[in-house]
Amino acid sequence: MSEAPTFEPLGDDAVLIRFGAGIDAALSARVHAAAARIAAMDIPGILDLVPGYASLGVICDGAFRADDRQAFAYERIVETLRGTIEENASAMVSKPRIVDIPVRYDGPDLDDVARRAGLTATEAAARHAAGDYTVAMLGFAPGFPYLLGLDPALHTPRRATPRTRVPPGSVAIGGAQTAVYPQTLPGGWNLIGRTPLALFDLSRTPPNLVAPGDRVRFRAIDHEEFETLCTKNSA
Amino acid sequence: MHKEFRVIAVVKPGFLTSVQDRGRYGIAGLGVGHAGAMDDVAARLANALVGNARDDALLEITLTGPTLRCETDTVVALTGAELDARVDGAPLPAWRPVPLVRGSVVVCGGMRRGARAYLAFAGGIDVAPVLGSRSTDLNAAIGPFGGRALAAGDLLPLGRPRRTLPSRAPAWSIASPRWFDPASPLPLRLVDGAHTGALTEASRAALATREFRVAADSNRVGFRLDGPRLELAHPLELVSEAVAAGTLQLPPGGQPIALAAEHPTTGGYPRIAHLIAVDRARLAQRRPGDAVRFAWCDPREADAARRARESMLQCIEYECDYRLRAL
């Protein structure tokens, strides 16, 4: 039986719901179930929901009504949230989407990652592509997915000196986490490959390729297929 | 039918001028931040003064203002920082609606006090919303004009005014609100964060007693605060989770960062405190180099301050609406 969530203020107009600590698939599933329930309730005064690995931020309109009965109050919002997520949460969760992401495993840090793991670059790439990943959260930048499910053999500490420009589509490992850079960003993660897919594209609706709770599978592709997909995407 | 051509032309953009509204809410789960006006109070009152809705888009002007040419008759209201603004040579009075005729040129200079001024146009700036909002997220490049600051030659389309507007400037204005005083010695108020207790006793005291200064590399993402180096009693292993506007994060260097409108949706640094909601607008008016003092406050005081301010803002909005009707 999982523990009941706890609530803490995040300033005077936001609340953090905590389901536990650390990075764990079961915790992550509870976060997404709670987010889905709260979103479905359309509670007045709630502006936004921010899933984390083990917690859910609830951003409120601290001043949504001025009269005393309706104004935001921490205790009242907590009571509402508690009631909302304690109902049968699992009933709300739909079957996760599976998103296939083709990757050309030729990143500048692939050799470092492989060496630490005592593997060849090809073996390291195969292990990464064999994983079954879940999008725990999006954060840091629009569309940046933090993925659960990295093979422990591939855990690699962040680079001592972060790069100022990581190219878009870079597939990277930072500690126990793996992710795909949606656009050119600074970053200290180890770059092991690149996808020709756009993770975040404002001309699409929705702009994000993956959403919290989605399952992700990486598929190794060669240079030729990478170029073909790039051409197809830009067409 | 002749279609009325209602635009404002940007002749010079100024230091950093962008289109903003109340912010982009509802998709933080995709990593898309809120952006929106840094001084939400000044922006809200500028809209009220020209009969706009709270969500209408306006200009946020930073430090040095733009030069704008009106290609249409319009009514504007300037609020926020004390900006030296002139219309065809005559001073543009702030905190009141001012009609401008087609061909008027608004030349904005520097700011005497504060860091951010707001210029609202009757009908709002009617650019296409991006992901549900007309605010510009400069850091993420999301919003009108490709998510960038305004540049010379940009044309700002105006929406239809929501009411008949005055042809002469009324004699009344909003008094520059008491809470809008960038030079106020009153400290900015903090409530506890999740990791306030992890600070050393000395650092916790320093935060509330020592002077900090807004660092030069502060921007719409956050305010870096130069001052005493703050330390944790013991290191924390944290995973990324939600942060909010006003969150004070403590990176390993010991220099706290107060998150602002364009903050990332999640962060992994310790959250040592949160600026209370009503004091976010006050921080937004501080410039690089300005002194900042903090004081711990009871969450009940924060609640009371928020409610009092909301009541006052709603009274002012109601009064503006009433007076605009009477004109």
Side-chain angles (χ1 to χ4, degrees):
Chain A
M1 209 32 215
S2 51
E3 282 172 53
T6 57
F7 295 81
E8 57 193 70
L10 186 69
D12 65 326
D13 55 359
V15 177
L16 197 74
I17 312 175
R18 184 173 300 291
F19 296 86
I23 298 177
D24 172 271
L27 278 176
S28 183
R30 292 180 67 203
V31 171
H32 298 138
R37 272 211 80 85
I38 295 166
M41 291 291 290
D42 203 12
I43 300 164
I46 291 183
L47 294 176
D48 224 330
L49 298 172
V50 191
Y53 279 111
S55 67
L56 179 66
V58 182
I59 310 296
C60 304
D61 183 349
F64 74 99
R65 275 175 210 169
D67 66 275
D68 273 353
R69 282 179 303 107
Q70 292 295 327
F72 170 86
Y74 176 73
E75 290 77 12
R76 188 167 38 238
I77 200 86
V78 164
E79 200 180 311
T80 307
L81 292 171
R82 199 191 301 275
T84 305
I85 58 181
E86 276 179 2
E87 291 163 51
N88 184 10
S90 58
M92 287 297 300
V93 184
S94 49
K95 203 162 172 280
R97 241 168 24 119
I98 296 173
V99 182
D100 182 77
I101 299 182
V103 180
R104 188 179 72 190
Y105 284 99
D106 63 350
D109 305 325
L110 180 62
D111 288 339
D112 284 350
V113 170
R115 198 173 315 120
R116 277 188 164 269
L119 301 169
T120 65
T122 314
E123 287 166 348
R127 288 240 198 166
H128 189 268
D132 180 7
Y133 301 95
T134 304
V135 181
M137 56 185 274
L138 303 181
F140 173 51
F144 187 99
Y146 291 85
L147 302 174
L148 286 167
L150 182 65
D151 186 329
L154 298 178
H155 292 188
T156 313
R158 279 158 226 217
R159 295 168 55 80
T161 313
R163 291 183 171 88
T164 53
R165 293 172 65 85
V166 172
S170 293
V171 177
I173 292 175
Q177 308 172 89
T178 188
V180 186
Y181 283 76
Q183 54 268 109
T184 304
L185 290 163
W189 292 25
N190 301 280
L191 311 184
I192 59 168
R194 220 172 148 189
T195 177
L197 301 187
L199 271 279
F200 193 84
D201 179 354
L202 282 169
S203 66
R204 276 191 319 230
T205 307
N208 52 302
L209 182 69
V210 299
D214 283 352
R215 305 279 283 277
V216 167
R217 282 177 197 156
F218 293 110
R219 177 170 63 84
I221 56 169
D222 58 16
H223 183 75
E224 202 178 327
E225 190 176 352
F226 185 92
E227 294 301 327
T228 311
L229 287 167
C230 277
T231 316
K232 212 163 85 184
N233 288 346
S234 56
Chain B
M1 248 314 263
H2 173 70
K3 190 169 182 292
E4 205 185 351
F5 186 59
R6 298 177 50 82
V7 299
I8 303 297
V10 178
V11 180
K12 286 186 196 165
F15 173 69
L16 181 72
T17 305
S18 61
V19 177
Q20 298 295 342
D21 61 11
R22 285 212 293 170
R24 184 172 286 108
Y25 288 92
I27 47 173
L30 305 183
V32 178
H34 299 138
M38 292 277 283
D39 181 340
D40 53 335
V41 176
R44 188 166 158 184
L45 294 178
N47 270 331
L49 283 164
V50 294
N52 284 354
R54 277 186 210 165
D55 285 331
D56 282 335
L58 40 50
L59 292 184
E60 178 174 281
I61 296 166
T62 320
L63 299 174
T64 303
T67 298
L68 306 167
R69 192 177 59 245
C70 302
E71 309 289 3
T72 173
D73 293 354
T74 183
V75 175
V76 300
L78 176 67
T79 65
E82 280 179 33
L83 177 68
D84 178 23
R86 290 174 177 270
V87 181
D88 301 326
L92 173 68
W95 301 97
R96 73 181 70 199
V98 180
L100 299 180
V101 295
R102 186 178 164 200
S104 301
V105 176
V106 180
V107 178
C108 303
M111 287 172 186
R112 287 178 297 272
R113 290 200 315 156
R116 291 179 172 86
Y118 293 85
L119 186 63
F121 301 87
I125 299 172
D126 193 20
V127 287
V130 177
L131 302 179
S133 163
R134 295 181 175 88
S135 66
T136 308
D137 190 326
L138 298 165
N139 189 49
I142 294 176
F145 300 100
R148 62 160 168 79
L150 293 184
D154 285 343
L155 296 175
L156 307 170
L158 300 187
R160 274 182 69 85
R162 291 171 193 269
R163 62 172 73 258
T164 312
L165 285 150
S167 53
R168 284 187 317 132
W172 52 269
S173 68
I174 302 177
S176 165
R178 271 181 291 132
W179 60 80
F180 170 72
D181 180 5
S184 166
L186 290 177
L188 302 177
R189 288 160 289 180
L190 302 175
V191 289
D192 281 357
H195 312 112
T196 306
L199 286 170
T200 62
E201 200 61 44
S203 288
R204 195 177 136 79
L207 188 53
T209 52
R210 301 277 298 275
E211 190 177 270
F212 291 81
R213 287 195 182 269
V214 174
D217 55 351
S218 299
N219 54 27
R220 282 176 44 85
V221 176
F223 293 84
R224 288 179 191 276
L225 300 164
D226 286 333
R229 189 178 179 279
L230 303 182
E231 290 176 327
L232 300 177
H234 36 78
L236 292 170
E237 281 296 320
L238 302 174
V239 296
S240 284
E241 61 188 3
V243 291
T247 299
L248 258 69
Q249 288 192 320
L250 188 65
Q255 179 193 35
I257 299 172
L259 295 179
E262 290 184 14
H263 68 86
T265 53
T266 59
Y269 294 133
R271 300 187 297 274
I272 57 168
H274 298 271
L275 192 61
I276 70 171
V278 298
D279 284 354
R280 294 200 290 252
R282 294 175 59 207
L283 182 58
Q285 291 297 352
R286 304 294 164 106
R287 317 173 186 215
D290 278 356
V292 179
R293 281 183 177 281
F294 297 105
W296 294 105
C297 113
D298 188 275
R300 276 168 305 200
E301 185 189 333
D303 273 349
R306 214 179 48 242
R307 286 174 199 218
R309 189 184 73 174
E310 183 62 20
S311 297
M312 193 190 298
L313 286 172
Q314 289 192 13
C315 283
I316 297 172
E317 284 174 327
Y318 179 84
E319 187 70 19
C320 285
D321 184 65
Y322 178 80
R323 288 182 180 230
L324 287 170
R325 270 174 214 281
L327 283 168

